Amino acid sequence: MRVLVRRYWGPRLVRGAVDRRPSPQWRALAGLGGSADWEDGRDARVREKPPWRVLFFGTDLFAREALRALHAARENKEEDLIDKLEVVTVPSPSPKGLPVKQYAVQSQLPVYEWPDVGSGEYDVGVVASFGRLLSEALILKFPYGILNVHPSCLPRWRGPAPIIHTVLHGDTVTGVTIMQIRPKRFDVGPILKQETTPVPPASTAKELEAVLSRLGANMLISVLKNLPESLNNGREQPTEGVTYAPKISAGTSCIKWEEQTSEQIFRLYRAIGDIIPLQTLWMENTIKLLDLVEVKSPVLADPILTRQAVVPGSVIYHKQSQILLVYCK
């Protein structure tokens, strides 16, 4: 198998367990049962039905779609689902801020920068692509806890980069999970709602993110419409099938032609190519590969190529089609 490098940039070097059942306190918070603390009158401010007061935690484009849905629900006075909506995001080197902040400012929503979470009263928190562990003290400030919109079918792909790992590992089915946050660990709480969807063939992580963000936003609104019931019907995550989706580093983008098949390289390209260009060494220089496509069979059938015995990593220029071929594992 061979890979065609359509564009490149160079030659400068680049530097470069089982989740326990909820305790009585958590059961009370989730609406799963009473406790003395919640029966002594201190829960008088808790709303039993919409409209909800929501504090949203998020950063990126996936999170922005969930925030957009919440804002649309707040503006829809006929439905009366969201009463108050405020936003927490993280610092950004860009003056404009991250997509969630940009949308919040544009929509004139109050915005706080982590670790500032404001001082208002809320019924429920919503997290999407936030990347920060929330303390138990913070979670317990919300009568209905904090919900997480997670773009995978938990417990598969727990962690900060589930969409990237879905594409990288060639999953054919993915989905979105609405779960309830638990302190100290990411993505281990009970599942309130989960839906699956096929992974479109040859889709990039960016394209898949757009699909899952719309699905997740719709699911979130559905859960909020029946929040107490959704919490009561929450189910613990299975102990089987747990996988992890750690952050991707720059080192992941380095191609090892002798170790990776063309299929693996294309999956890597579709998974991270929009974020970190793939790299390889050429004459002791690091080259960025900006555009990779699969070589079609008529080119591979050319006798000029088939009679050559080459090793992975070898480069051949095919004059007739004007393409640069790289042999893979």
Side-chain angles (χ1 to χ4, degrees):
M1 299 293 289
R2 302 163 179 85
V3 170
L4 161 63
V5 179
R6 193 142 53 181
R7 290 191 295 130
Y8 71 92
W9 181 94
R12 262 176 34 190
L13 289 171
V14 177
R15 303 291 181 193
V18 179
D19 193 23
R20 297 191 186 94
R21 296 296 300 175
S23 65
Q25 183 182 33
W26 280 105
R27 292 181 65 82
L29 180 144
L32 299 175
S35 72
D37 289 343
W38 283 67
E39 293 170 357
D40 63 1
R42 282 186 286 166
D43 61 344
R45 66 185 178 86
V46 178
R47 298 183 178 184
E48 296 182 356
K49 59 182 182 179
W52 308 117
R53 297 162 295 181
V54 178
L55 184 61
F56 181 83
F57 301 77
T59 56
D60 62 11
L61 293 172
F62 177 85
R64 186 182 68 182
E65 193 65 26
L67 178 59
R68 191 197 306 274
L70 292 171
H71 184 239
R74 179 174 176 265
E75 296 297 298
N76 183 0
K77 301 306 179 184
E78 295 181 2
E79 195 169 34
D80 204 25
L81 180 65
I82 306 295
D83 178 25
K84 179 170 77 170
L85 178 60
E86 299 184 355
V87 177
V88 178
T89 190
V90 299
S92 167
S94 169
K96 293 183 179 180
L98 296 168
V100 160
K101 182 178 181 179
Q102 293 176 27
Y103 181 83
V105 171
Q106 174 189 343
S107 304
Q108 298 182 325
L109 298 172
V111 183
Y112 306 99
E113 193 167 275
W114 180 263
D116 182 8
V117 295
S119 57
E121 287 191 346
Y122 311 95
D123 301 299
V124 63
V126 175
V127 167
S129 299
F130 191 59
R132 302 291 191 277
L133 278 174
L134 306 185
S135 68
E136 184 170 8
L138 175 60
I139 298 171
L140 290 172
K141 288 183 178 180
F142 298 85
Y144 290 99
I146 300 180
L147 312 182
N148 181 19
V149 186
H150 186 82
S152 82
C153 293
L154 290 171
R156 185 162 178 80
W157 303 133
R158 290 176 178 172
I163 299 177
I164 287 176
H165 284 272
T166 295
V167 175
L168 186 60
H169 289 81
D171 290 8
T172 57
V173 176
T174 185
V176 174
T177 303
I178 309 292
M179 55 159 286
Q180 194 175 34
I181 292 286
R182 289 288 184 260
K184 301 179 181 178
R185 291 177 62 195
F186 283 113
D187 307 328
V188 298
I191 294 171
L192 309 185
K193 189 177 183 66
Q194 187 173 87
E195 293 186 14
T196 62
T197 185
V199 177
S203 65
T204 65
K206 185 177 181 180
E207 292 166 343
L208 185 58
E209 178 186 53
V211 172
L212 296 181
S213 66
R214 292 189 292 269
L215 175 61
N218 292 335
M219 290 170 60
L220 173 63
I221 297 302
S222 175
V223 167
L224 289 174
K225 287 179 179 178
N226 301 282
L227 183 56
E229 180 183 358
S230 296
L231 292 168
N232 277 325
N233 294 331
R235 57 184 175 87
E236 297 300 319
Q237 293 187 31
T239 56
E240 303 82 19
V242 177
T243 57
Y244 296 94
K247 288 182 179 179
I248 297 297
S249 66
T252 309
S253 67
C254 297
I255 296 179
K256 301 177 179 63
W257 304 99
E258 67 281 3
E259 297 177 13
Q260 295 168 294
T261 66
S262 60
E263 182 182 357
Q264 291 171 326
I265 292 170
F266 275 118
R267 289 205 304 254
L268 180 63
Y269 173 64
R270 295 198 304 270
I272 70 171
D274 290 321
I275 307 168
I276 311 172
L278 302 194
Q279 303 176 48
T280 189
L281 287 176
W282 175 255
M283 299 179 70
E284 300 184 356
N285 287 322
T286 300
I287 304 295
K288 291 183 179 180
L289 308 177
L290 303 182
D291 189 13
L292 275 67
V293 297
E294 191 170 8
V295 177
K296 302 303 180 183
S297 55
V299 174
L300 297 178
D302 191 323
I304 297 175
L305 298 177
T306 56
R307 63 171 173 253
Q308 298 190 51
V310 293
V311 297
S314 297
V315 178
I316 295 177
Y317 178 67
H318 189 250
K319 187 175 181 180
Q320 287 76 10
S321 58
Q322 296 185 330
I323 60 176
L324 189 66
L325 298 163
V326 183
Y327 279 77
C328 307
K329 177 181 176 182

